[in-house]
Amino acid sequence: MRASLATLVVALTAGTAACSEPVPTVSAPPVVNAPPVVQAVQVERILEDLSAELTEANREVSAEPLLRRVGGGALAMLQAQYAAKAANPDEAIYELGTSFGDSQIVARSRDWPRSFAVSTEPDPKAQDAQFIYLLEQTDARAPYQMVLWARMLKTPPKTSPAVVGSLVVSPEDPDLAMTPVEAVEAYALAKDDPSGAAAELFDTKPSDGIDPDPARQRWSALVAGFDSPELKGLEGTDLSHSTELIGGSVSAVATADSGALVFGQVKSTLDFSFAGSEGQLMNLGAKGYLGLGAASLQPTKSVHIEHLESVVLAVPPKAGDGIVKVIAVADLPTAVTVE
């Protein structure tokens, strides 16, 4: 919740109703603003470590070099994409950027966890993707680790300068068009049902059959593949899918327009089963699934697929237009079970 200046009023009475003297008041001292959680020299050192680890991971196409500066959902996604790549050399993966500019969003807080975000500076000639990374420190003794990364779709809204720090916004802050948690929950609903009411809340709602959200495109294509006439023709088919907020993944900082920049993660799950009578075959085709736990690419009974997605949203204040902007996304399959 944004810190606010509180005034403590102490009423002193003389003990008689007839007293007409002014009632004195005593004001509490102003709330001291919390400082930025990291200074420029600390950010530089942390990003040097992160850059070195990511550079080695990109070179080796392996998560093994990510020993200190990457953790949580960010590490799980990288481990999954490298495992899929090992099983299928043709697998397309995200090669995370390792160069950083001066674009930093530093939280202002005295509590833990503490966080700051940075964006990468891609080489214009190489047409590299641009990413945003969220780094978090869980307690005073823990290292700052990248816990979320996503590919930029648009420029984030303005925040306070890093030397000043941006106020931390509570995941349940009611002074926005929707709370940060509600925003990520709504995004999860929109991802699983792009034609539903939740999609209307975002600036990426599909139009003329085109979905501008690449993470949603990927998930919709997967669902559509399992809902195809070819697979429906199998005996006794059943398809279910859902996308849900990962509890505890939401964090947010205030933006200059009194809104919030929100970071979160969602998990998408698809289950498909069929009777598997003699002569009925299906082929998953995605060889990378063999690195994510699939024992075979030819199920005879069922398929279970999990995707993990990082998302960064810009939530407007209550007085705004109510439309949430999708700033950055990254979606990857992380687990596959085949029977």
Side-chain angles (χ1 to χ4, degrees):
M1 192 72 69
R2 294 186 180 85
S4 60
L5 183 63
T7 303
L8 175 65
V9 179
V10 181
L12 304 176
T13 64
T16 63
C19 181
S20 60
E21 295 182 2
V23 178
T25 62
V26 179
S27 298
V31 175
V32 178
N33 286 332
V37 296
V38 283
Q39 301 299 318
V41 64
Q42 294 173 290
V43 171
E44 183 178 356
R45 174 175 53 81
I46 293 167
L47 293 183
E48 283 180 357
D49 288 352
L50 177 61
S51 179
E53 289 191 11
L54 290 177
T55 297
E56 190 67 11
N58 286 336
R59 187 183 70 81
E60 294 186 9
V61 195
S62 167
E64 288 188 9
L66 308 176
L67 301 176
R68 176 174 170 80
R69 292 300 185 185
V70 183
L75 181 59
M77 290 176 69
L78 289 174
Q79 287 173 327
Q81 77 162 5
Y82 292 140
K85 182 74 170 178
N88 177 27
D90 294 329
E91 188 81 11
I93 64 173
Y94 293 101
E95 187 168 309
L96 297 193
T98 58
S99 298
F100 306 97
D102 297 326
S103 181
Q104 300 166 5
I105 303 170
V106 177
R108 195 166 79 200
S109 176
R110 296 185 186 277
D111 300 322
W112 277 274
R114 298 178 175 183
S115 64
F116 70 94
V118 297
S119 59
T120 62
E121 289 293 330
D123 182 353
K125 296 179 181 179
Q127 296 184 334
D128 294 335
Q130 185 175 25
F131 295 90
I132 184 168
Y133 302 154
L134 179 68
L135 290 95
E136 186 177 272
Q137 183 185 37
T138 55
D139 57 59
R141 298 187 177 216
Y144 268 95
Q145 290 188 318
M146 180 175 74
V147 295
L148 179 149
W149 55 271
R151 182 172 180 172
M152 292 275 235
L153 302 181
K154 55 180 68 75
T155 303
K158 290 184 179 180
T159 56
S160 297
V163 294
V164 176
S166 298
L167 288 173
V168 173
V169 176
S170 166
E172 304 292 347
D173 192 324
D175 296 327
L176 302 166
M178 63 185 79
T179 71
V181 165
E182 289 172 341
V184 182
E185 287 176 335
Y187 178 85
L189 291 174
K191 179 183 179 182
D192 207 55
D193 183 10
S195 62
E200 297 291 326
L201 301 173
F202 298 89
D203 67 338
T204 54
K205 66 179 182 180
S207 176
D208 297 326
I210 299 174
D211 193 332
D213 182 336
R216 202 162 54 197
Q217 285 179 30
R218 181 172 192 163
W219 183 248
S220 295
L222 179 69
V223 172
F226 278 89
D227 200 32
S228 66
E230 291 79 9
L231 293 189
K232 281 183 176 179
L234 296 176
E235 183 180 343
T237 61
D238 183 67
L239 172 65
S240 63
H241 53 88
S242 63
T243 300
E244 297 179 344
L245 164 71
I246 295 178
S249 70
V250 177
S251 62
V253 293
T255 54
D257 62 357
S258 298
L261 188 66
V262 177
F263 301 84
Q265 290 186 317
V266 299
K267 178 181 176 180
S268 300
T269 305
L270 179 146
D271 284 287
F272 178 81
S273 61
F274 64 106
S277 60
E278 186 176 354
Q280 288 190 323
L281 294 174
M282 68 172 291
N283 194 327
L284 293 179
K287 296 179 181 178
Y289 286 170
L290 294 173
L292 301 178
S296 168
L297 294 178
Q298 291 186 326
T300 57
K301 293 182 180 179
S302 64
V303 181
H304 173 83
I305 300 174
E306 296 178 8
H307 277 218
L308 182 59
E309 179 185 351
S310 297
V311 61
V312 182
L313 307 171
V315 181
K318 276 188 174 179
D321 59 10
I323 299 299
V324 177
K325 294 181 179 179
V326 181
I327 302 299
V329 297
D331 173 89
L332 284 169
T334 52
V336 180
T337 303
V338 171
E339 291 185 4

